[in-house]
Amino acid sequence: MADLLKLGVLISGNGSNLQSIIDHIEKGSLKAIINIVISNNTDAYGITRAKKHKIPVVILKNGDLKNKEDFDSELVKTLKDNGIELVILAGFMRILTPVFLKAFPHKIMNIHPALLPSFPGIHGQKQALEYGVKISGCTVHFVDEGVDTGPIIIQSAVQVFDDDTEETLAARILKEEHRIYPQAIQLFAEGKIEIKGRKVLIKNVRSNCHR
Ligand code: GAR
């Protein structure tokens, strides 16, 4: 399977984005293979999802290593041992250290449940609701040393309704996450992504915003 992009997917929880990536791979719209799923949470439901599809899983708990750098070195080793070409953060609730970033320059993607640069960090949906924005959405971006600050690959917008709760907004955003994350990975697999400073240019595409 030499032409399939080798992915390592990092999760902490439900793993619905992992599931969407698996589904897109299985239906042939994403030319990739998940060589390893790594979870920092023993109870993450994403582990069950991975196992169901016979994907190897490694669990590395937050307290397993003595500091953040050692933790990240272990992550890097596991990913390199598995021949990973692109690292996918899918609800992975940890900040990466430079040890990790330097090992995979411009080869780590993240999905965030808000239209960055608005509402970075945790609870992006709650932050958007509390601020009172009328439009929110999600962002796939490369990871850099900041919190949700890396070059943006694709964004998708959703409406915010007056009667939205954090849950209803999160569900509407999640639907878009499941659509644009596999899309961004496929663009990478096709070699269509070019990074110029802060900007990501997609070859032959004029706009990467979906409404
Ligand atoms: C997703 O909404 C993702 O955007 C968010 O966590 C959820 C994971 O869901 N990530 C962040 O907030 C990162 N800052 P999933 O486990 O069902 O894919």
Side-chain angles (χ1 to χ4, degrees):
M1 300 274 193
D3 54 344
L4 295 177
L5 179 70
K6 298 180 189 71
L7 305 178
V9 183
L10 274 53
I11 60 166
S12 299
N14 183 27
S16 70
N17 276 289
L18 165 67
Q19 186 67 55
S20 153
I21 292 164
I22 293 171
D23 294 345
H24 279 79
I25 289 174
E26 290 188 350
K27 70 179 185 210
S29 53
L30 176 52
K31 309 288 182 213
I33 179 168
I34 303 175
N35 277 4
I36 191 90
V37 165
I38 306 179
S39 175
N40 65 336
N41 169 14
T42 331
D43 300 327
Y45 182 62
I47 296 171
T48 306
R49 296 182 191 268
K51 286 186 174 164
K52 217 178 201 171
H53 293 266
K54 313 242 177 318
I55 300 168
V57 176
V58 167
I59 298 170
L60 198 56
K61 293 196 296 287
N62 289 341
D64 279 354
L65 277 301
K66 75 172 185 301
N67 59 42
K68 285 182 192 160
E69 285 72 21
D70 286 0
F71 188 95
D72 279 7
S73 296
E74 191 59 34
L75 278 182
V76 168
K77 184 178 180 314
T78 306
L79 291 164
K80 296 274 184 195
D81 286 351
N82 284 278
I84 299 309
E85 296 166 309
L86 181 67
V87 180
I88 301 298
L89 307 185
F92 187 62
M93 297 305 186
R94 269 185 79 93
I95 309 279
L96 305 180
T97 67
V99 169
F100 198 135
L101 298 170
K102 280 188 193 131
F104 290 97
H106 289 152
K107 288 187 172 55
I108 310 168
M109 282 187 191
N110 181 42
I111 187 140
H112 183 74
L115 291 177
L116 293 171
S118 293
F119 316 125
I122 57 167
H123 305 307
Q125 307 94 331
K126 184 163 180 260
Q127 292 184 57
L129 267 186
E130 284 175 356
Y131 196 90
V133 292
K134 303 297 183 194
I135 292 171
S136 192
C138 48
T139 304
V140 181
H141 64 95
F142 285 109
V143 176
D144 67 6
E145 58 291 335
V147 176
D148 300 324
T149 53
I152 291 171
I153 306 164
I154 304 184
Q155 294 187 298
S156 182
V158 306
Q159 258 184 287
V160 180
F161 299 116
D162 290 348
D163 59 355
D164 262 331
T165 61
E166 198 182 332
E167 289 70 30
T168 58
L169 179 60
R172 195 173 310 117
I173 291 174
L174 208 46
K175 212 166 151 217
E176 291 306 299
E177 293 186 34
H178 297 163
R179 196 170 61 78
I180 67 170
Y181 213 176
Q183 236 179 355
I185 300 165
Q186 178 59 19
L187 288 170
F188 187 98
E190 290 172 11
K192 286 191 174 165
I193 291 183
E194 189 188 343
I195 305 175
K196 277 197 171 172
R198 269 218 55 80
K199 288 192 187 166
V200 171
L201 307 179
I202 311 286
K203 290 173 195 158
N204 305 323
V205 176
R206 269 193 91 194
S207 163
N208 309 334
C209 180
H210 302 253
R211 277 178 294 146

